[in-house]
Amino acid sequence: FYSSLGQYKTDVRVENDVFIVSYNETLEQPNWVEYEVRNIVKNFDRRGMNFYEPKDVYTSDNNDYKSNVWDKGHMAPAAAFTDTKEKLKMTFSYLNCSLQFDKLNQGVWEALEAQERVWAKKYGTLQVRIVLRFEQDHKVLPTGGHVPNGYWKYITFPDGRKECFYFPNSAPTKKWGDYKIQCEVERAKTYF
């Protein structure tokens, strides 16, 4: 887990059949995650699947999510990868998980994910990039997990059109469409 300097790494790249992630071992959270939303047929259910720690990368774990308001928020959503059991299981890696406020995860975040699947069915495969935001004074849990202040979500349609959003990591006060922002040149570094 340690770099040659004896520290956790701030940019561990992992790519699999579901997502590409830049993982920050120091924060125990992703820096960013990229994935595609395809028009698929659901063949498998997530029932009984649990998050697991990957080999060779130091991530958050179940202790970070016990008895608090933080959900194990999928970045690449499980529902977008129900076409194969293998892909669905890959979404349950802690590499693809963030300390996400429960009402955000189960509210407008989930609603936008559902809308992405509708768009994929209508327009074709979408490219999605989520970038986590950490401000200097962000919350750090006693277990060591760092809580993001928010999430940028960049969605690119097959014709090149983009939809961009920013969600604070707190209880939502609006509908998902109200979190839309002007698409801008992405920040090269959004953590420290």
Side-chain angles (χ1 to χ4, degrees):
F1 298 131
Y2 293 96
S3 70
S4 59
L5 300 175
Q7 302 173 17
Y8 290 119
K9 298 174 188 168
T10 58
D11 182 18
V12 180
R13 301 286 172 103
V14 177
E15 183 171 354
N16 60 32
D17 290 340
V18 171
F19 58 82
I20 303 170
V21 61
S22 163
Y23 199 87
N24 191 317
E25 294 177 325
T26 302
L27 302 178
E28 299 180 24
Q29 296 287 283
N31 295 313
W32 54 260
V33 177
E34 293 178 347
Y35 60 94
E36 293 182 340
V37 180
R38 303 157 292 133
N39 180 17
I40 61 167
V41 174
K42 180 178 179 177
N43 294 316
F44 294 92
D45 192 272
R46 65 185 281 176
R47 198 173 312 118
M49 289 195 178
N50 295 309
F51 277 89
Y52 59 91
E53 295 172 51
K55 294 177 183 165
D56 303 327
V57 183
Y58 182 73
T59 64
S60 64
D61 60 37
N62 199 45
N63 292 325
D64 295 307
Y65 299 88
K66 279 186 182 169
S67 304
N68 61 33
V69 298
W70 308 109
D71 271 2
K72 295 173 186 166
H74 279 85
M75 295 293 91
F81 297 96
T82 55
D83 51 330
T84 74
K85 190 174 185 179
E86 295 75 23
K87 286 183 181 175
L88 182 57
K89 185 170 173 47
M90 283 180 198
T91 70
F92 282 86
S93 167
Y94 277 109
L95 290 169
N96 184 45
C97 181
S98 176
L99 286 155
Q100 195 166 53
F101 194 79
D102 55 4
K103 289 180 175 59
L104 172 62
N105 184 43
Q106 299 165 33
V108 293
W109 189 263
E110 184 178 38
L112 178 54
E113 290 173 341
Q115 182 61 47
E116 290 165 22
R117 295 191 296 278
V118 170
W119 286 332
K121 189 170 189 174
K122 185 173 181 180
Y123 301 113
T125 300
L126 307 177
Q127 307 290 325
V128 182
R129 180 177 173 92
I130 297 168
V131 179
L132 285 72
R133 178 180 184 189
F134 295 93
E135 295 173 4
Q136 288 289 350
D137 62 348
H138 69 271
K139 183 177 185 65
V140 180
L141 301 179
T143 53
H146 291 237
V147 179
N149 295 92
Y151 305 87
W152 285 282
K153 183 175 261 198
Y154 304 90
I155 303 168
T156 305
F157 290 77
D159 65 1
R161 182 171 59 94
K162 292 185 187 306
E163 296 276 347
C164 302
F165 301 85
Y166 179 75
F167 294 93
N169 196 10
S170 57
T173 57
K174 307 178 271 192
K175 295 183 173 151
W176 66 262
D178 297 324
Y179 289 92
K180 195 170 172 180
I181 59 170
Q182 186 170 348
C183 295
E184 53 193 54
V185 177
E186 187 175 321
R187 298 145 184 87
K189 189 172 182 183
T190 58
Y191 51 94
F192 303 106

